[in-house]
Amino acid sequence: MPRSCRPVTLEPPRHRSTRTVGLAILSVAGLLAAVPADAAPADQQRQRDFAAAAREFGVPENVLLGVSYMESRWDFNGGTPSTSAGYGPMHLTDLREAGSGTHHDKGHEDPRGDDARQVKLLSVPASQSPPPSLQTIDEAAALIGEDAATLRTNTAQNIRAGAALLAKYRRESGSWNAAVARYSGAKDSAEAQAFVDEVFDTISQGISRRTDEGQSVRLTATPVSPLRSRSDSPKTECPNTTSCLPVPAPYQELPNNDYGNHDKADRPKSQEVEYIVIHDTEVGWDEALRLVQDPTYVSWHYTIRSADGRIAQHVPTKDVAWHAGNWYVNAKSVGIEHEGFAAKGAWYTEAMYRSSAKLVGHLARKYDIPLDRAHILGHDNVPGTTPATIKGMHWDPGPYWDWAHYFGLMGVSLSGSGRPGSPLVTITPDYAANQPPFTGCETAGQPCPARGSGSVVLRSEPNDSAPLLQDIGLRPDGSASTLDVSDIGSRAETGQQYVVAERRDDWTAIWYLGQKGWFRDTHATSPAFGLAVTPRPGLATVPVFGRAFPEAEAYPANVPVQQVVPLPYTFSAGQRYSLGNVLGSEYYWATTFDPAKHVVVTGKTRYVQIQFGHRIAFVKADDVQLLPAL
């Protein structure tokens, strides 16, 4: 039965926006009639729920679908909260239930990661009261006469409540454009319009997908010709199609010859930018912005808000922020924080993914950074600098960050391009279908809700009950890793590349932290093409490092030599690891407030970056040989 539609002009939001978006919205009267339940496929129930809610509350169906897609991609996510405390397909927020935490919650990690300065351990003040945008579930529940618990766990009621909230916003604002803008939780017209643009782009392009619960949902394309949002300020380094504002981090002298909270530099003239590091804030947007403006705290280059993808820039990309816990990586990276809370196992909104992907693509082009998982790192991929710092390294953005979707938004497929049977493979599980039995999302030792993940769990033998691998850096006593959601000791991640050590039936083993890590390779990998790294002939083992610092002879007299301490892992003859990069050795000596006294020490030693475990690592080029992975 064909859909009837009529053109409707969406007025700009009533908060000083001067822009108008033209959009053909499906009229309420023209929505598809409900298909009898006994005549419709079970996997279209969610589609019917959207249609029914749209009819009930007078919301154009494509607007309801577009808003939901930009929040959750129509997924349920196992009933877990997003990083901005949103639940269900309509992302109804309930911070009271989701809880909150601190950015450096373990209390023993130095985000600067530089032995030359005093370790900067941090404590974070208690969270402030959440804004109303993080507690929309109460109002939505009241509109349909249900309780908040039902809206968190029942997808049909969640969709009804979201539709009711949109309809209320429409009655109060006078336009669907303004209603969508308000639903985003944005505080001003520029950031609200960026969310509106993304919703209307989705409606214009149309989309269909199968949700995490196997539901088929389709949004039919409807012509849209919106004006694009522009970056709010010329003082930021953001794509001009994002909503971006400057919130500068202070470069300030402190007592006792200390200073904060970043270092002045002149990149890429002084040092190449090799990496972009993806983080999760573990605090709300307002508190993250407050903390980054504290000179006694640490810094990062950008923060992205969950609900609407709003970007704030804090540190110029030419300067070095203190964010990754590894000074070598800090000196050669841009750090991007994504708003989130300490509800472990939280998921990330589509608005955030899209805004972040635009920013990363922009920065990658600016600094000629390859769009691959050897250069676009999670904080959980950054190595410890010495054996003593490994335990303190963070595990964000965690196993529920959808790397395949994220790179897809940048126009990059993470599937390998090698021939079938290649000994080099890329980890590429089906995110929705891949549901490792992680624990500890809410209560230590208790199972997490079943939901999709980009992580592949590795075992010591080709057996589902075999122990997980050992990570001697995380557990010096030699005990096996666990399935705790924060334990990365036996886990490979989407987009990472490894060399196959052995195959048995449907099991594959990869070289991982000096061991064979086994997993059922049922569509979990793609063949890749590239180079493998192995010890030079005659060397039984080679040392593995967490940073690529120069040899002692390279340091000028006024710069203390930084020791290159091997990590406590074994890279033995016969093992092979994927090549990530070949790098020169550098150390950025920046221990004083006066940037004129900062020195970039460049050595003759060259390093090879490898995918050694869940984290990257470095080996000296003279210790290894590079071989085609044929």
Side-chain angles (χ1 to χ4, degrees):
M1 182 176 184
R3 295 174 183 256
S4 62
C5 62
R6 59 185 176 85
V8 177
T9 299
L10 293 189
E11 301 87 355
R14 293 184 176 180
H15 35 57
R16 303 183 62 84
S17 174
T18 60
R19 300 173 54 239
T20 300
V21 180
L23 170 64
I25 294 185
L26 296 178
S27 68
V28 175
L31 293 172
L32 279 176
V35 179
D38 57 357
D43 69 351
Q44 293 182 11
Q45 182 58 50
R46 192 154 304 167
Q47 186 88 58
R48 296 194 294 275
D49 290 341
F50 278 113
R55 284 194 303 273
E56 180 181 2
F57 296 101
V59 180
E61 185 180 353
N62 54 0
V63 171
L64 185 62
L65 285 165
V67 169
S68 178
Y69 186 85
M70 279 306 300
E71 298 284 22
S72 68
R73 299 177 75 210
W74 307 321
D75 286 339
F76 178 55
N77 289 293
T80 58
S82 76
T83 57
S84 52
Y87 288 84
M90 293 306 299
H91 196 254
L92 299 172
T93 55
D94 190 355
L95 183 59
R96 179 183 59 246
E97 177 69 17
S100 62
T102 62
H103 180 55
H104 297 282
D105 54 334
K106 292 184 179 180
H108 55 258
E109 181 235 5
D110 172 19
R112 195 176 194 272
D114 182 10
D115 299 343
R117 283 199 63 187
Q118 180 180 356
V119 173
K120 196 174 188 66
L121 301 183
L122 304 167
S123 61
V124 182
S127 298
Q128 299 174 344
S129 299
S133 62
L134 294 180
Q135 199 62 45
T136 62
I137 202 166
D138 296 332
E139 182 180 15
L143 288 172
I144 66 169
E146 296 284 355
D147 58 29
T150 299
L151 270 56
R152 291 194 300 268
T153 57
N154 185 300
T155 56
Q157 296 304 323
N158 183 278
I159 292 168
R160 286 186 67 234
L165 200 58
L166 268 172
K168 179 178 183 290
Y169 292 165
R170 166 66 174 80
R171 291 192 300 271
E172 294 176 348
S173 66
S175 77
W176 287 116
N177 192 21
V180 171
R182 183 174 172 185
Y183 199 96
S184 72
K187 295 182 177 179
D188 61 52
S189 60
E191 58 196 79
Q193 193 60 56
F195 181 83
V196 172
D197 285 342
E198 293 291 350
V199 169
F200 294 162
D201 275 353
T202 302
I203 295 172
S204 177
Q205 296 165 9
I207 196 164
S208 61
R209 70 180 294 265
R210 187 171 290 272
T211 73
D212 58 354
E213 294 182 301
Q215 290 287 306
S216 295
V217 183
R218 182 181 185 85
L219 170 58
T220 302
T222 307
V224 182
S225 55
L227 298 173
R228 300 305 308 157
S229 300
R230 306 294 292 184
S231 182
D232 304 57
S233 170
K235 298 179 181 179
T236 62
E237 301 167 275
C238 294
N240 60 12
T241 56
T242 61
S243 176
C244 187
L245 76 160
V247 182
Y251 188 69
Q252 183 175 323
E253 282 190 286
L254 300 171
N256 301 317
N257 295 318
D258 195 8
Y259 68 94
N261 61 9
H262 59 280
D263 279 296
K264 298 292 185 181
D266 190 20
R267 304 184 307 179
K269 183 178 179 181
S270 58
Q271 290 184 281
E272 292 292 331
V273 178
E274 300 281 355
Y275 308 106
I276 299 172
V277 182
I278 305 300
H279 300 261
D280 181 348
T281 63
E282 298 298 339
V283 294
W285 166 266
D286 291 338
E287 189 168 354
L289 267 55
R290 178 173 61 84
L291 289 171
V292 81
Q293 295 176 86
D294 181 348
T296 67
Y297 200 62
V298 292
S299 60
W300 49 94
H301 292 88
Y302 298 90
T303 303
I304 303 181
R305 186 160 56 195
S306 176
D308 57 2
R310 173 75 146 167
I311 303 172
Q313 183 172 5
H314 314 298
V315 177
T317 58
K318 70 179 183 62
D319 294 336
V320 177
W322 305 347
H323 61 95
N326 182 315
W327 184 241
Y328 177 79
V329 173
N330 278 346
K332 300 181 75 65
S333 70
V334 172
I336 304 175
E337 293 277 2
H338 297 74
E339 180 192 12
F341 294 94
K344 294 181 180 179
W347 50 277
Y348 300 85
T349 66
E350 181 68 2
M352 177 179 283
Y353 275 129
R354 290 195 176 198
S355 189
S356 182
K358 288 180 181 180
L359 177 60
V360 169
H362 171 77
L363 295 172
R365 289 187 293 273
K366 178 176 181 177
Y367 288 110
D368 196 25
I369 300 172
L371 286 173
D372 59 38
R373 292 287 281 112
H375 296 83
I376 312 301
L377 306 176
H379 195 180
D380 53 346
N381 307 135
V382 176
T385 54
T386 66
T389 64
I390 294 174
K391 282 187 176 182
M393 301 301 290
H394 281 199
W395 59 279
D396 56 305
Y400 300 117
W401 181 270
D402 192 345
W403 287 104
H405 176 59
Y406 186 53
F407 271 77
L409 291 171
M410 291 183 270
V412 175
S413 172
L414 291 178
S415 297
S417 58
R419 61 174 177 80
S422 170
L424 184 66
V425 295
T426 305
I427 304 298
T428 53
D430 181 312
Y431 182 89
N434 180 53
Q435 300 186 357
F438 293 130
T439 63
C441 288
E442 296 181 7
T443 304
Q446 295 302 306
C448 297
R451 46 176 302 226
S453 170
S455 297
V456 171
V457 175
L458 307 176
R459 297 192 177 273
S460 53
E461 296 290 342
N463 187 308
D464 289 320
S465 60
L468 304 186
L469 302 182
Q470 298 175 350
D471 185 331
I472 199 69
L474 291 175
R475 289 182 173 79
D477 63 359
S479 58
S481 300
T482 71
L483 284 169
D484 186 273
V485 69
S486 64
D487 188 343
I488 64 167
S490 189
R491 185 184 302 171
E493 200 72 30
T494 295
Q496 293 178 332
Q497 292 188 337
Y498 297 91
V499 178
V500 173
E502 189 177 348
R503 287 188 171 102
R504 296 185 201 171
D505 299 323
D506 63 345
W507 286 83
T508 294
I510 55 175
W511 289 115
Y512 188 99
L513 295 179
Q515 307 156 83
K516 290 182 180 180
W518 290 90
F519 58 96
R520 285 191 182 273
D521 195 0
T522 50
H523 308 293
T525 63
S526 300
F529 176 80
L531 296 176
V533 182
T534 192
R536 286 191 179 277
L539 295 179
T541 63
V542 298
V544 179
F545 303 96
R547 50 193 177 185
F549 281 173
E551 66 281 0
E553 295 76 16
Y555 289 80
N558 64 321
V559 178
V561 174
Q562 301 300 301
Q563 298 300 316
V564 184
V565 181
L567 301 179
Y569 303 109
T570 302
F571 182 0
S572 300
Q575 298 176 6
R576 298 187 178 191
Y577 297 90
S578 66
L579 170 69
N581 205 351
V582 178
L583 302 155
S585 52
E586 290 181 342
Y587 171 63
Y588 184 42
W589 189 56
T591 62
T592 63
F593 181 71
D594 182 2
K597 297 180 180 180
H598 298 175
V599 178
V600 177
V601 180
T602 303
K604 295 180 180 179
T605 303
R606 295 188 65 77
Y607 287 85
V608 174
Q609 176 187 323
I610 59 175
Q611 188 65 58
F612 190 57
H614 189 85
R615 304 187 193 274
I616 63 169
F618 305 97
V619 293
K620 292 183 178 180
D622 287 346
D623 289 341
V624 297
Q625 57 181 345
L626 311 184
L627 302 174
L630 300 175

